Amino acid sequence: GALGTMRVVVQRVSRGEVRIVEADGTSRVSGRIGTGFVLLVGFTHSDGDDQLKWMTEKIIGLRVFTDAEDKMNLALGDVQGSLLVVSQFTLYGDASKGRRPSFIDAARPEVAIPLYERFVAMLRATGTTVETGEFGASMEVELVNDGPVTIPLER
């Protein structure tokens, strides 16, 4: 739609790592965090600053880390948490017809790359440590989902 529907899957982790897999099969670490969120991020054609700002504020403000009473009451900053941001166009996979998903709703790279870079910059501007994968690369994402806590967000 005209309003965009940026999608982020937020996973609360005790640790996370993304490795870039090269054509020859070797891999190298691109980003690594301890306590925090692994964010799988997908953009559609019409996303813009409104979606990025809302999503940044929502993620930074999410109170899903446990306090001393074991209640989900603390935000990322309260636990000195970090972010690992991974682009994931497959969040727009539509498998309603047939067995091979269609990705027609995913933003093309020329649209998605600037959105991804701006989103990472906005997250960093909050003072949060942000690690990343590499847009469009073949990646292996390894994480320990703490809880598990997984929250899909859409805006």
Side-chain angles (χ1 to χ4, degrees):
L3 298 176
T5 49
M6 178 181 176
R7 290 179 180 165
V8 178
V9 176
V10 179
Q11 298 182 84
R12 185 182 77 179
V13 302
S14 52
R15 64 178 177 81
E17 180 176 293
V18 61
R19 292 180 298 276
I20 308 303
V21 182
E22 307 293 359
D24 64 4
T26 60
S27 67
R28 61 185 163 81
V29 173
S30 172
R32 180 185 285 141
I33 64 167
T35 299
F37 293 141
V38 170
L39 306 179
L40 304 178
V41 182
F43 301 100
T44 191
H45 319 287
S46 53
D47 287 333
D49 261 17
D50 288 348
Q51 285 76 27
L52 299 177
K53 285 180 183 146
W54 184 91
M55 202 61 80
T56 297
E57 289 170 14
K58 179 63 70 175
I59 288 162
I60 296 302
L62 271 182
R63 291 171 36 168
V64 298
F65 293 93
T66 51
D67 63 15
E69 280 82 53
D70 212 33
K71 298 260 188 291
M72 288 205 294
N73 206 23
L74 303 177
L76 200 60
D78 299 323
V79 297
Q80 286 77 53
S82 303
L83 296 170
L84 180 56
V85 185
V86 180
S87 67
Q88 184 84 326
F89 77 90
T90 61
L91 290 177
Y92 286 93
D94 177 359
S96 59
K97 296 185 181 83
R99 297 187 179 209
R100 182 179 296 143
S102 162
F103 300 106
I104 197 162
D105 291 335
R108 302 286 309 147
E110 59 271 18
V111 171
I113 291 171
L115 287 168
Y116 174 77
E117 290 175 347
R118 178 129 172 75
F119 183 49
V120 168
M122 286 173 124
L123 291 166
R124 283 187 173 134
T126 68
T128 306
T129 297
V130 181
E131 297 276 311
T132 64
E134 274 181 27
F135 191 96
S138 178
M139 292 177 276
E140 293 178 338
V141 181
E142 186 177 341
L143 58 93
V144 176
N145 189 324
D146 176 23
V149 176
T150 304
I151 301 173
L153 299 174
E154 196 168 278
R155 176 63 174 200

